[in-house]
Amino acid sequence: MIAVEHLTKCYGDFMAVDDLSFEIDEGHVYGFLGPNGAGKSTTMNIMTGCLSAMNGCIKIDGYDIFEETDKAKKLIGYLPEQPPLYMTETPVEYLRFVGEAKGLHGAELNEQIGEVIRQTKIESVKNRRISALSKGYKQRVGIAQALLGNPKIIILDEPTVGLDPIQIIEIRALIKELGQTHTVIFSSHILSEVQTICDRILIIAKGKLIAFDEPENLEKRLLAPNEISITTDAAAEEIKRMLAGISHITDISAEEKENGFVEAHLKTDHDDIYEISRAVFLAFSGSGKALFEMALKKANLEDVFIELTESNDAAGKTTERKVAHK
């Protein structure tokens, strides 16, 4: 559906997108995740034909976005981070203008306006001036214009920024619904948002793609180990000796506290942290040493995001390069 190959974009000496390549299949919701300034918006603007690139190729369903722009753009509905709304118009007036610009006319235009108004649930405000609408309704009008023309691909740049909690929930539900009939790509720097909605996640940092997988696979393959924290009256060496026979414990660190107890942190690469915690409990039960506390920390997708972006940032500092001007 979408093939991005070796995409590069610079602003002066700043490398916004750095040799980016990925492929997106039809019929899923994709989350484009990264910290602010990672290159998400620049990449989306290039994918939609709104920006040029220094190098690289983007094909939308086989059409080159740079060489066959009109054919490629007909397949895309786009909502930029700042919705391109005309505040003095009503949603119906605005959608009619956008529809005509997309080549829709007559009964087909009227039918599609009615359908996108229904899909985005803006019936109650369709005849009010856009300037008088809440931020949430403005976002819905922006999504409605992206849906006109029935594009195969919907691209949404930070669609929930600035919304209140209820509006965020509503927009997320709308995105999930759109994912049933379109290929949806949306960017965010909010991890929980991407994790809740998406079938696939692309993580980008400093213009580079650093992960691309299903949320579950990211958690399994890329996360830091699960951790078990314990408080005991056993000394550090005693803890290591007692737990030496438990497989899948990859690291043990211990520190004596002011109250005389020892706090230890155990890392495990086992998928079932409860099985390991049971083995730890049984090891202490026959040792004569007390186990006062045990706390489990299961790794989650937030750890993936932090670990990958921080490691990429550290690598970037050691391999930083300036763009060569030709």
Side-chain angles (χ1 to χ4, degrees), residues 13-33:
D13 287 343
F14 176 67
M15 181 77 75
V17 181
D18 190 357
D19 195 30
L20 193 62
S21 297
F22 58 86
E23 291 188 7
I24 285 177
D25 297 325
E26 186 173 357
H28 297 285
V29 178
Y30 290 83
F32 209 32
L33 179 66

Side-chain angles (χ1 to χ4, degrees), residues 131-190:
S131 60
L133 302 183
S134 68
K135 181 70 182 292
Y137 273 118
K138 288 175 182 174
Q139 287 291 80
R140 287 176 179 271
V141 174
I143 294 173
Q145 65 80 25
L147 294 174
L148 284 172
N150 196 28
K152 289 185 177 181
I153 302 161
I154 306 297
I155 298 180
L156 311 172
D157 191 1
E158 301 273 9
T160 62
V161 167
L163 303 185
D164 64 39
I166 294 176
Q167 292 170 336
I168 289 174
I169 292 171
E170 292 173 345
I171 294 297
R172 288 177 182 173
L174 175 58
I175 292 172
K176 291 191 73 171
E177 182 181 337
L178 291 174
Q180 297 175 10
T181 53
H182 301 78
T183 299
V184 180
I185 306 166
F186 81 97
S187 69
S188 178
H189 60 276
I190 303 172

Side-chain angles (χ1 to χ4, degrees), residues 30-242:
Y30 290 83
F32 209 32
L33 179 66
N36 290 326
K40 304 186 299 297
S41 294
T42 298
T43 301
M44 287 186 158
N45 277 315
I46 298 173
M47 289 170 62
T48 55
C50 297
L51 274 180
S52 62
M54 287 182 62
N55 294 299
C57 173
I58 297 177
K59 290 189 177 180
I60 310 295
D61 207 17
Y63 298 112
D64 190 306
I65 193 68
F66 304 123
E67 302 295 333
E68 302 168 283
T69 304
D70 291 343
K71 292 179 179 179
K73 282 187 174 183
K74 284 184 178 180
L75 300 172
I76 301 172
Y78 181 40
L79 174 66
E81 185 174 353
Q82 298 296 327
L85 305 177
Y86 294 128
M87 297 298 174
T88 59
E89 295 184 343
T90 67
V92 170
E93 292 169 340
Y94 171 67
L95 292 173
R96 183 169 300 280
F97 166 76
V98 173
E100 290 175 351
K102 290 186 176 185
L104 301 173
H105 302 284
E108 182 184 17
L109 175 57
N110 292 331
E111 182 180 342
Q112 287 210 23
I113 289 174
E115 177 61 18
V116 299
I117 285 174
R118 183 198 64 78
Q119 280 184 282
T120 55
K121 297 181 174 61
I122 57 174
E123 295 98 331
S124 62
V125 299
K126 65 181 182 180
N127 293 314
R128 293 173 57 187
R129 286 187 185 274
I130 293 174
S131 60
L133 302 183
S134 68
K135 181 70 182 292
Y137 273 118
K138 288 175 182 174
Q139 287 291 80
R140 287 176 179 271
V141 174
I143 294 173
Q145 65 80 25
L147 294 174
L148 284 172
N150 196 28
K152 289 185 177 181
I153 302 161
I154 306 297
I155 298 180
L156 311 172
D157 191 1
E158 301 273 9
T160 62
V161 167
L163 303 185
D164 64 39
I166 294 176
Q167 292 170 336
I168 289 174
I169 292 171
E170 292 173 345
I171 294 297
R172 288 177 182 173
L174 175 58
I175 292 172
K176 291 191 73 171
E177 182 181 337
L178 291 174
Q180 297 175 10
T181 53
H182 301 78
T183 299
V184 180
I185 306 166
F186 81 97
S187 69
S188 178
H189 60 276
I190 303 172
L191 185 70
S192 59
E193 184 166 78
V194 173
Q195 190 172 10
T196 300
I197 302 174
C198 296
D199 305 312
R200 308 281 193 277
I201 296 175
L202 299 88
I203 301 179
I204 185 172
K206 291 188 175 293
K208 289 182 174 291
L209 185 69
I210 54 177
F212 185 9
D213 211 330
E214 299 176 7
E216 297 80 5
N217 291 338
L218 284 173
E219 290 179 351
K220 290 177 182 177
R221 293 167 47 197
L222 301 173
L223 287 181
N226 295 324
E227 293 186 7
I228 301 171
S229 297
I230 61 174
T231 302
T232 176
D233 59 358
E237 291 304 315
E238 291 177 305
I239 296 171
K240 293 177 180 180
R241 186 171 61 252
M242 282 189 288

